[in-house]
Coordinates of all heavy atoms in Angstrom, one line a residue:
M244 N 127.2 123.1 99.2 CA 126.4 122.4 98.3 C 124.9 122.8 98.5 O 124.4 122.8 99.7 CB 126.6 120.9 98.5 CG 126.1 120.2 97.3 SD 126.7 118.4 97.3 CE 125.1 117.6 97.4
S245 N 124.2 123.0 97.5 CA 122.8 123.4 97.7 C 121.9 122.3 98.0 O 122.1 121.1 97.5 CB 122.3 124.1 96.3 OG 120.9 124.0 96.2
K246 N 120.9 122.6 98.7 CA 119.8 121.6 99.1 C 119.2 121.1 97.8 O 118.6 120.0 97.7 CB 118.8 122.3 99.9 CG 117.7 121.5 100.5 CD 116.8 122.4 101.4 CE 115.5 121.6 101.8 NZ 114.6 122.5 102.5
Y247 N 119.2 121.9 96.7 CA 118.5 121.6 95.5 C 119.4 121.0 94.4 O 119.0 121.2 93.2 CB 117.7 122.8 95.0 CG 116.6 123.2 96.0 CD1 116.8 124.3 96.8 CD2 115.5 122.5 96.2 CE1 115.9 124.7 97.7 CE2 114.6 122.8 97.1 CZ 114.7 123.9 97.9 OH 113.8 124.3 98.8
D248 N 120.4 120.4 94.7 CA 121.3 119.7 93.8 C 120.7 118.3 93.4 O 121.0 117.8 92.4 CB 122.7 119.5 94.3 CG 123.5 120.8 94.3 OD1 123.0 121.7 93.6 OD2 124.5 120.9 94.9
K249 N 119.8 117.8 94.2 CA 119.3 116.5 94.0 C 117.8 116.5 94.3 O 117.3 117.3 95.0 CB 119.9 115.5 95.1 CG 121.2 115.0 94.8 CD 121.5 113.9 95.8 CE 123.0 113.4 95.6 NZ 123.3 112.6 96.7
S250 N 117.0 115.6 93.6 CA 115.6 115.5 93.8 C 115.4 114.9 95.2 O 116.2 114.1 95.7 CB 115.1 114.5 92.8 OG 115.2 115.0 91.5
F251 N 114.3 115.4 95.8 CA 113.9 114.9 97.1 C 112.4 115.0 97.3 O 111.8 115.8 96.5 CB 114.7 115.5 98.3 CG 114.4 116.9 98.4 CD1 113.2 117.4 99.1 CD2 115.2 117.9 97.8 CE1 113.0 118.8 99.3 CE2 114.9 119.2 98.0 CZ 113.8 119.7 98.7
S252 N 111.9 114.3 98.2 CA 110.5 114.6 98.6 C 110.3 114.2 100.0 O 111.0 113.3 100.5 CB 109.5 113.8 97.7 OG 109.7 112.4 97.9
V253 N 109.4 114.9 100.7 CA 109.2 114.5 102.1 C 108.2 113.3 102.2 O 107.5 113.1 101.4 CB 108.6 115.7 102.9 CG1 109.5 117.0 102.9 CG2 107.2 116.1 102.4
D254 N 108.4 112.6 103.3 CA 107.5 111.4 103.5 C 106.1 111.9 103.8 O 105.8 113.0 104.3 CB 107.9 110.6 104.8 CG 109.3 110.0 104.5 OD1 109.7 109.7 103.4 OD2 110.0 109.7 105.5
E255 N 105.1 111.1 103.3 CA 103.7 111.5 103.4 C 103.3 111.8 104.9 O 102.6 112.7 105.1 CB 102.9 110.3 102.9 CG 101.7 110.9 102.0 CD 101.1 109.7 101.2 OE1 101.7 109.3 100.2 OE2 100.0 109.3 101.6
E256 N 103.9 111.0 105.8 CA 103.6 111.2 107.1 C 104.1 112.6 107.8 O 103.7 113.1 108.8 CB 104.1 110.1 108.0 CG 105.6 110.0 108.1 CD 106.1 108.6 108.2 OE1 105.6 107.7 107.4 OE2 107.0 108.4 109.0
N257 N 105.0 113.2 107.0 CA 105.6 114.5 107.4 C 104.9 115.7 106.7 O 105.3 116.8 106.9 CB 107.1 114.5 107.1 CG 107.8 113.6 108.0 OD1 107.5 113.4 109.2 ND2 108.9 113.1 107.5
I258 N 103.9 115.4 105.9 CA 103.1 116.5 105.3 C 102.0 116.9 106.3 O 101.3 116.0 106.7 CB 102.5 116.0 104.0 CG1 103.5 115.5 103.0 CG2 101.6 117.1 103.4 CD1 103.0 115.0 101.7
P259 N 102.0 118.1 106.7 CA 101.0 118.6 107.8 C 99.6 118.5 107.2 O 99.4 119.0 106.0 CB 101.5 119.9 108.2 CG 102.3 120.4 107.0 CD 102.9 119.2 106.4
S260 N 98.7 118.1 108.0 CA 97.3 118.2 107.5 C 96.6 119.5 108.0 O 95.6 119.8 107.5 CB 96.5 117.0 108.0 OG 96.5 116.9 109.4
E261 N 97.3 120.1 108.9 CA 96.8 121.5 109.3 C 98.0 122.4 109.5 O 99.1 122.0 109.8 CB 95.9 121.4 110.4 CG 96.5 121.1 111.8 CD 95.5 121.1 112.9 OE1 94.3 120.7 112.7 OE2 95.8 121.6 113.9
C262 N 97.7 123.7 109.3 CA 98.8 124.7 109.3 C 99.3 124.7 110.8 O 98.5 125.0 111.7 CB 98.2 126.0 108.9 SG 99.5 127.4 109.0
P263 N 100.6 124.6 111.0 CA 101.1 124.7 112.4 C 101.1 126.1 112.9 O 101.3 126.3 114.1 CB 102.5 124.2 112.3 CG 102.9 124.4 110.8 CD 101.6 124.3 110.1
I264 N 100.9 127.1 112.1 CA 100.8 128.5 112.6 C 99.3 128.9 112.9 O 99.1 129.3 114.0 CB 101.4 129.4 111.5 CG1 102.8 129.1 111.2 CG2 101.2 130.9 111.9 CD1 103.5 129.8 110.0
C265 N 98.4 128.7 112.0 CA 97.1 129.2 112.2 C 96.0 128.1 112.4 O 94.9 128.4 112.7 CB 96.6 130.2 111.1 SG 96.3 129.3 109.6
G266 N 96.3 126.8 112.2 CA 95.5 125.7 112.4 C 94.5 125.5 111.2 O 93.7 124.6 111.3
N267 N 94.7 126.2 110.1 CA 93.8 126.0 109.0 C 94.1 124.6 108.4 O 95.2 124.1 108.4 CB 94.3 127.1 107.9 CG 93.4 127.2 106.7 OD1 92.2 126.8 106.8 ND2 94.0 127.5 105.5
D268 N 93.0 123.9 107.9 CA 93.2 122.6 107.3 C 94.0 122.8 105.9 O 93.6 123.6 105.1 CB 91.8 122.0 106.9 CG 91.2 121.5 108.2 OD1 91.8 121.2 109.2 OD2 89.9 121.4 108.1
L269 N 95.0 121.9 105.8 CA 95.8 122.0 104.6 C 95.5 120.7 103.8 O 95.8 119.6 104.3 CB 97.2 122.1 104.9 CG 97.7 123.3 105.6 CD1 99.2 123.2 105.9 CD2 97.4 124.6 104.8
L270 N 95.0 120.9 102.6 CA 94.6 119.6 101.8 C 95.6 119.6 100.7 O 95.9 120.7 100.1 CB 93.3 119.7 101.3 CG 92.1 119.9 102.4 CD1 90.8 120.2 101.7 CD2 92.0 118.7 103.2
P271 N 96.2 118.4 100.4 CA 97.1 118.3 99.3 C 96.5 118.4 97.9 O 96.5 117.6 97.1 CB 97.8 117.0 99.5 CG 96.8 116.2 100.3 CD 96.0 117.2 101.0
T272 N 95.6 119.5 97.7 CA 94.9 119.7 96.4 C 95.6 120.9 95.7 O 96.3 121.6 96.4 CB 93.4 120.0 96.6 OG1 93.4 121.2 97.4 CG2 92.8 118.9 97.4
S273 N 95.3 121.1 94.5 CA 95.9 122.1 93.7 C 95.7 123.5 94.4 O 96.5 124.4 94.2 CB 95.4 122.1 92.3 OG 94.0 122.3 92.3
E274 N 94.6 123.7 95.1 CA 94.3 124.9 95.8 C 95.4 125.3 96.8 O 95.6 126.5 97.0 CB 93.0 124.7 96.5 CG 92.2 126.0 96.8 CD 91.0 125.8 97.5 OE1 90.4 124.7 97.3 OE2 90.5 126.7 98.3
Y275 N 96.1 124.3 97.4 CA 97.1 124.6 98.4 C 98.4 124.3 97.9 O 99.4 124.4 98.7 CB 96.8 123.7 99.6 CG 95.5 124.1 100.2 CD1 94.3 123.5 99.9 CD2 95.5 125.1 101.2 CE1 93.1 123.8 100.5 CE2 94.2 125.5 101.9 CZ 93.1 124.8 101.5 OH 91.9 125.2 102.1
I276 N 98.5 123.8 96.7 CA 99.9 123.5 96.2 C 100.4 124.3 95.0 O 99.6 124.6 94.1 CB 99.9 121.9 95.8 CG1 99.9 121.1 97.1 CG2 101.1 121.6 95.0 CD1 99.9 119.6 96.9
D277 N 101.6 124.7 95.2 CA 102.2 125.6 94.2 C 103.4 124.8 93.5 O 104.2 124.3 94.3 CB 102.7 126.9 94.8 CG 103.1 127.9 93.8 OD1 102.6 127.9 92.7 OD2 104.0 128.7 94.2
I278 N 103.4 124.7 92.2 CA 104.5 124.1 91.5 C 105.2 125.1 90.7 O 104.6 125.8 89.9 CB 104.0 122.9 90.7 CG1 103.3 121.9 91.6 CG2 105.2 122.3 89.9 CD1 102.6 120.7 90.8
H279 N 106.5 125.3 91.0 CA 107.2 126.2 90.2 C 108.7 125.9 90.0 O 109.2 125.0 90.7 CB 107.1 127.6 90.8 CG 107.5 127.7 92.2 ND1 106.8 127.7 93.3 CD2 108.9 127.7 92.7 CE1 107.5 127.7 94.4 NE2 108.8 127.7 94.1
Y280 N 109.3 126.5 89.1 CA 110.7 126.3 88.7 C 111.6 126.9 89.9 O 111.3 128.0 90.3 CB 111.1 126.9 87.4 CG 110.4 126.2 86.3 CD1 109.3 126.7 85.6 CD2 110.9 124.9 85.9 CE1 108.7 126.0 84.6 CE2 110.4 124.2 84.8 CZ 109.2 124.7 84.2 OH 108.7 124.0 83.2
H281 N 112.5 126.1 90.3 CA 113.4 126.6 91.3 C 114.8 126.0 91.0 O 114.9 124.8 90.8 CB 112.9 126.2 92.7 CG 113.8 126.7 93.8 ND1 113.7 127.9 94.4 CD2 114.9 126.1 94.4 CE1 114.6 128.1 95.3 NE2 115.3 126.9 95.3
A282 N 115.8 126.8 91.1 CA 117.1 126.4 90.7 C 117.1 125.6 89.3 O 116.5 126.2 88.4 CB 117.7 125.5 91.8
D283 N 117.6 124.4 89.3 CA 117.5 123.6 88.0 C 116.4 122.6 88.0 O 116.7 121.4 87.6 CB 118.9 123.0 87.7 CG 119.9 124.0 87.4 OD1 119.6 125.0 86.6 OD2 121.0 124.0 87.8
G284 N 115.3 122.9 88.5 CA 114.3 121.8 88.6 C 112.9 122.4 88.9 O 112.7 123.6 88.8
I285 N 112.1 121.6 89.4 CA 110.7 121.9 89.7 C 110.4 121.6 91.2 O 110.7 120.6 91.7 CB 109.7 121.2 88.8 CG1 109.9 121.5 87.4 CG2 108.3 121.5 89.2 CD1 109.2 120.6 86.4
R286 N 109.9 122.6 91.8 CA 109.6 122.5 93.3 C 108.2 122.5 93.5 O 107.4 123.3 93.0 CB 110.3 123.7 94.0 CG 110.4 123.5 95.5 CD 111.4 124.5 96.0 NE 110.8 125.8 96.1 CZ 111.2 126.7 96.9 NH1 112.1 126.5 97.7 NH2 110.6 127.9 96.9
T287 N 107.7 121.6 94.4 CA 106.3 121.5 94.8 C 106.2 122.1 96.3 O 106.8 121.5 97.2 CB 105.8 120.1 94.8 OG1 106.0 119.6 93.5 CG2 104.2 120.0 95.1
V288 N 105.4 123.1 96.5 CA 105.2 123.7 97.8 C 103.8 123.6 98.2 O 102.9 124.0 97.5 CB 105.8 125.1 97.8 CG1 105.7 125.8 99.1 CG2 107.2 125.3 97.2
L289 N 103.6 123.2 99.5 CA 102.3 123.3 100.1 C 102.2 124.6 100.9 O 103.2 124.9 101.6 CB 102.1 122.1 101.1 CG 100.8 122.0 101.9 CD1 99.7 121.6 101.0 CD2 101.0 121.0 103.1
Y290 N 101.2 125.3 100.7 CA 101.2 126.6 101.4 C 99.8 126.8 102.0 O 98.8 126.3 101.5 CB 101.6 127.7 100.5 CG 100.7 128.0 99.3 CD1 99.7 128.9 99.4 CD2 100.8 127.3 98.2 CE1 98.9 129.2 98.4 CE2 100.0 127.5 97.1 CZ 99.0 128.5 97.2 OH 98.1 128.7 96.2
C291 N 99.7 127.6 103.0 CA 98.5 128.0 103.7 C 98.0 129.2 103.0 O 98.8 130.2 102.9 CB 98.8 128.2 105.2 SG 97.4 128.7 106.1
N292 N 96.8 129.2 102.7 CA 96.2 130.4 102.0 C 95.2 131.2 102.9 O 94.3 131.8 102.4 CB 95.6 130.0 100.6 CG 94.4 129.1 100.8 OD1 94.0 128.7 101.9 ND2 93.8 128.7 99.7
N293 N 95.3 131.0 104.2 CA 94.4 131.6 105.1 C 94.9 133.0 105.5 O 95.8 133.2 106.2 CB 94.4 130.7 106.4 CG 93.4 131.2 107.4 OD1 92.4 132.0 107.0 ND2 93.5 130.9 108.6
G294 N 94.2 134.0 104.9 CA 94.5 135.4 105.2 C 95.9 135.7 104.8 O 96.4 135.3 103.8
D295 N 96.6 136.3 105.8 CA 98.0 136.7 105.5 C 99.0 135.7 106.2 O 100.1 136.0 106.3 CB 98.3 138.1 105.9 CG 98.0 138.4 107.3 OD1 97.6 137.5 108.1 OD2 98.1 139.6 107.7
C296 N 98.5 134.5 106.5 CA 99.4 133.5 107.1 C 100.3 133.1 105.9 O 99.8 132.8 104.8 CB 98.5 132.3 107.6 SG 99.5 130.9 108.1
N297 N 101.5 133.0 106.2 CA 102.4 132.6 105.1 C 103.2 131.3 105.3 O 104.3 131.2 104.9 CB 103.3 133.8 104.6 CG 104.2 134.3 105.8 OD1 104.2 133.7 106.8 ND2 104.7 135.5 105.6
F298 N 102.6 130.4 106.0 CA 103.2 129.1 106.2 C 103.4 128.4 104.8 O 102.5 128.4 104.0 CB 102.4 128.2 107.0 CG 102.9 126.8 107.1 CD1 104.0 126.5 107.8 CD2 102.2 125.8 106.4 CE1 104.5 125.2 107.9 CE2 102.6 124.5 106.5 CZ 103.8 124.2 107.2
K299 N 104.6 127.8 104.6 CA 104.9 127.1 103.4 C 105.7 125.9 103.8 O 106.5 126.0 104.7 CB 105.8 128.0 102.5 CG 105.1 128.9 101.6 CD 106.1 129.5 100.7 CE 105.7 130.9 100.3 NZ 106.8 131.7 99.7
K300 N 105.5 124.8 103.1 CA 106.4 123.6 103.3 C 106.7 123.0 101.9 O 105.8 122.8 101.1 CB 105.7 122.6 104.1 CG 106.6 121.4 104.4 CD 106.0 120.5 105.5 CE 106.8 119.2 105.6 NZ 108.1 119.5 106.4
V301 N 108.0 122.9 101.6 CA 108.4 122.2 100.4 C 108.1 120.7 100.5 O 108.6 120.0 101.4 CB 109.9 122.4 100.1 CG1 110.3 121.8 98.9 CG2 110.2 123.9 100.0
L302 N 107.3 120.2 99.5 CA 107.0 118.8 99.6 C 107.9 118.0 98.7 O 108.2 116.9 99.1 CB 105.6 118.6 99.0 CG 104.4 119.3 99.8 CD1 103.1 118.8 99.2 CD2 104.5 119.0 101.3
S303 N 108.3 118.5 97.6 CA 109.3 117.8 96.8 C 110.0 118.7 95.8 O 109.6 119.8 95.6 CB 108.6 116.7 96.0 OG 107.6 117.3 95.1
Y304 N 111.0 118.2 95.3 CA 111.8 118.8 94.3 C 112.4 117.8 93.4 O 112.8 116.8 93.8 CB 113.0 119.6 95.0 CG 113.9 120.2 94.1 CD1 113.5 121.4 93.4 CD2 115.2 119.7 93.7 CE1 114.3 122.0 92.5 CE2 116.0 120.4 92.8 CZ 115.6 121.5 92.2 OH 116.4 122.1 91.2
E305 N 112.2 118.2 92.1 CA 112.7 117.2 91.1 C 113.6 118.0 90.1 O 113.2 119.0 89.6 CB 111.6 116.6 90.3 CG 112.0 115.4 89.6 CD 110.8 114.5 89.1 OE1 109.7 115.0 89.0 OE2 111.0 113.4 88.7
T306 N 114.9 117.6 90.0 CA 115.8 118.3 89.1 C 115.3 118.0 87.7 O 114.7 117.0 87.4 CB 117.2 117.8 89.3 OG1 117.3 116.4 88.9 CG2 117.7 117.9 90.7
N307 N 115.7 118.9 86.8 CA 115.4 118.8 85.3 C 116.0 117.4 84.8 O 115.3 116.8 84.0 CB 115.9 119.9 84.6 CG 115.2 121.2 84.8 OD1 114.0 121.2 85.1 ND2 115.9 122.4 84.7
K308 N 117.1 117.1 85.3 CA 117.7 115.8 84.9 C 116.8 114.6 85.2 O 116.6 113.8 84.4 CB 119.0 115.6 85.7 CG 120.3 115.7 84.8 CD 121.4 115.3 85.7 CE 122.7 115.7 85.1 NZ 123.8 115.4 86.0
D309 N 116.3 114.6 86.4 CA 115.4 113.5 86.8 C 114.1 113.6 86.1 O 113.4 112.6 85.9 CB 115.2 113.5 88.4 CG 116.5 113.0 89.1 OD1 117.3 112.4 88.4 OD2 116.6 113.2 90.3
V310 N 113.6 114.8 85.9 CA 112.4 114.9 85.1 C 112.6 114.3 83.7 O 111.7 113.5 83.3 CB 111.9 116.4 84.9 CG1 110.7 116.5 84.0 CG2 111.6 117.0 86.3
E311 N 113.6 114.6 83.1 CA 113.9 114.0 81.8 C 114.1 112.5 81.9 O 113.6 111.7 81.0 CB 115.3 114.5 81.2 CG 115.1 115.9 80.6 CD 116.4 116.6 80.3 OE1 117.4 115.9 80.1 OE2 116.4 117.8 80.3
K312 N 114.8 112.1 82.9 CA 115.0 110.6 83.1 C 113.6 109.9 83.3 O 113.4 108.9 82.6 CB 115.8 110.4 84.4 CG 116.7 109.2 84.2 CD 117.7 109.1 85.4 CE 117.2 108.3 86.6 NZ 118.1 108.3 87.7
S313 N 112.8 110.4 84.1 CA 111.5 109.7 84.3 C 110.7 109.8 83.0 O 109.9 108.9 82.8 CB 110.7 110.3 85.5 OG 110.5 111.6 85.4
M314 N 110.8 110.8 82.3 CA 110.0 110.9 81.0 C 110.5 109.8 80.0 O 109.7 109.2 79.4 CB 110.2 112.3 80.3 CG 109.3 113.3 81.0 SD 109.7 114.9 80.1 CE 108.2 115.8 80.6
S315 N 111.9 109.7 80.0 CA 112.4 108.7 79.0 C 112.1 107.3 79.5 O 112.0 106.4 78.7 CB 113.9 108.9 78.8 OG 114.6 108.9 79.9
E316 N 112.0 107.1 80.8 CA 111.7 105.8 81.4 C 110.2 105.4 80.9 O 109.9 104.3 80.6 CB 111.8 105.8 82.9 CG 113.2 105.4 83.3 CD 113.5 105.7 84.7 OE1 112.6 106.0 85.5 OE2 114.7 105.6 85.1
E317 N 109.4 106.5 81.0 CA 107.9 106.2 80.6 C 107.9 105.9 79.1 O 107.2 105.0 78.7 CB 107.1 107.5 80.7 CG 106.6 107.5 82.2 CD 106.0 108.9 82.6 OE1 105.6 109.6 81.6 OE2 106.1 109.3 83.7
D318 N 108.8 106.5 78.2 CA 108.8 106.2 76.8 C 109.2 104.7 76.7 O 108.7 104.0 75.8 CB 109.8 107.0 76.1 CG 109.3 108.4 76.0 OD1 108.1 108.7 76.2 OD2 110.1 109.4 75.6
D319 N 110.2 104.3 77.4 CA 110.7 102.9 77.3 C 109.5 101.9 77.6 O 109.6 100.8 77.0 CB 111.8 102.6 78.3 CG 113.1 103.3 77.9 OD1 113.1 103.8 76.7 OD2 114.0 103.4 78.8
E320 N 108.6 102.2 78.4 CA 107.6 101.3 78.8 C 106.6 101.1 77.6 O 105.8 100.2 77.5 CB 106.9 101.8 80.1 CG 107.7 101.4 81.3 CD 107.1 102.2 82.5 OE1 105.9 102.6 82.5 OE2 107.8 102.3 83.5
N321 N 106.5 102.2 76.8 CA 105.5 102.1 75.7 C 106.0 101.4 74.5 O 107.0 101.1 74.2 CB 105.1 103.5 75.4 CG 104.4 104.2 76.5 OD1 103.7 103.5 77.2 ND2 104.5 105.5 76.6
Ligands
LIG404 ZN1 98.2 129.1 108.2

C-alpha cells in the first residue's frame, strides 16, 4: 500500500527550522515550499535551496478526494 493513499501532514514540531544537512535556516514560506501534484493528490514539500544541498521534507499530502471534500465543506458553510 502506498504512503500516498491517504492525506497526512507532519506535526508542526517535526518541521525542521534549519537544514539538518547544511544548517541553512528553513522558513515555512513560499520560497522554501514546493507544492505539486503527486500520485492522486497534492504534496507540500519543504526544501533547502542552499547551493546544491538537496534536503527535502514532505510536510503534507492531501488526496484529491480530500481536497474536494474540504472544498464542499467550505461551500456548506456559506
Ligand atoms: Zn541544506
Side-chain angles (χ1 to χ4, degrees):
M244 195 168 117
S245 160
K246 185 181 171 184
Y247 295 107
D248 285 345
K249 281 186 183 170
S250 298
F251 64 84
S252 64
V253 300
D254 293 334
E255 222 166 285
E256 67 213 44
N257 291 326
I258 298 174
S260 59
E261 67 177 42
C262 177
I264 298 172
C265 72
N267 190 30
D268 285 337
L269 298 177
L270 305 168
T272 63
S273 59
E274 204 181 329
Y275 295 91
I276 285 182
D277 186 30
I278 298 171
H279 58 257
Y280 291 101
H281 181 85
D283 287 319
I285 298 168
R286 195 165 74 155
T287 306
V288 182
L289 177 72
Y290 65 95
C291 178
N292 63 2
N293 184 22
D295 55 7
C296 175
N297 56 13
F298 171 75
K299 274 187 208 164
K300 184 173 173 71
V301 177
L302 298 185
S303 66
Y304 176 73
E305 197 167 17
T306 63
N307 289 330
K308 250 189 195 170
D309 285 346
V310 172
E311 279 168 27
K312 213 171 94 186
S313 60
M314 279 176 163
S315 59
E316 276 165 10
E317 276 168 28
D318 287 346
D319 290 346
E320 282 168 19
N321 292 327

